[in-house]
Amino acid sequence: QVHMVESGGGSVQDGGSLRLSCAADGFNDRRYCMGWFRQAPGKEREAIATIDSDGLTKYTDSVKGRFTVSKDNDKNTLELTMNSLKPEDTGTYYCAADSSQGGIFCYPGRDFRYFGQGTQVTVSS
């Protein structure tokens, strides 16, 4: 059974940084796509970044150049480093995972089988 747990959320000032982690217990697929979503209050969930088992990363325009997604294969954790945070980055952040061939099949917005429960990020001006 796959159990994904996010951590690292918190409150920061405009321009600050945070690093989120996602422990993917039980998810051991060799070929995969993993990603991060976020949902602001009153808005739909937004896919923001993905990484496949070859290390190929993709980002939506709203976070490109500020956020970095990475995978620690030794710890089996997914990371999201967020710099230059803005108030509009506020929301609940979720990690996701699924088996995948990667490449063109791994991109923000695709469907995922497994999701975590989310961690809150608040950016104040």
Side-chain angles (χ1 to χ4, degrees):
Q1 186 173 357
V2 175
H3 187 52
M4 302 185 68
V5 180
E6 302 92 343
S7 62
S11 297
V12 297
Q13 296 285 328
D14 190 354
S17 299
L18 280 174
R19 184 180 181 91
L20 306 183
S21 293
C22 171
D25 294 335
F27 184 74
N28 299 307
D29 291 25
R30 295 185 64 183
R31 303 294 298 172
Y32 59 79
C33 179
M34 301 182 77
W36 288 94
F37 290 73
R38 67 185 180 188
Q39 187 166 20
K43 295 188 177 181
E44 292 188 357
R45 188 173 64 187
E46 173 191 19
I48 58 174
T50 56
I51 185 168
D52 69 14
S53 44
D54 291 326
L56 179 65
T57 59
K58 297 177 183 177
Y59 303 90
T60 55
D61 288 344
S62 60
V63 305
K64 194 176 296 182
R66 300 187 298 123
F67 291 11
T68 302
V69 59
S70 58
K71 177 81 170 7
D72 186 328
N73 291 319
D74 290 337
K75 298 179 180 178
N76 200 26
T77 59
L78 182 69
E79 313 281 340
L80 184 69
T81 302
M82 304 184 294
N83 296 318
S84 302
L85 282 162
K86 306 174 183 180
E88 52 262 43
D89 294 318
T90 294
T92 303
Y93 283 68
Y94 303 87
C95 61
D98 202 350
S99 56
S100 172
Q101 298 178 44
I104 61 172
F105 300 101
C106 184
Y107 57 93
R110 61 155 283 163
D111 291 333
F112 286 86
R113 182 182 302 181
Y114 306 110
F115 282 86
Q117 293 299 307
T119 186
Q120 179 65 35
V121 171
T122 302
V123 185
S124 56
S125 57

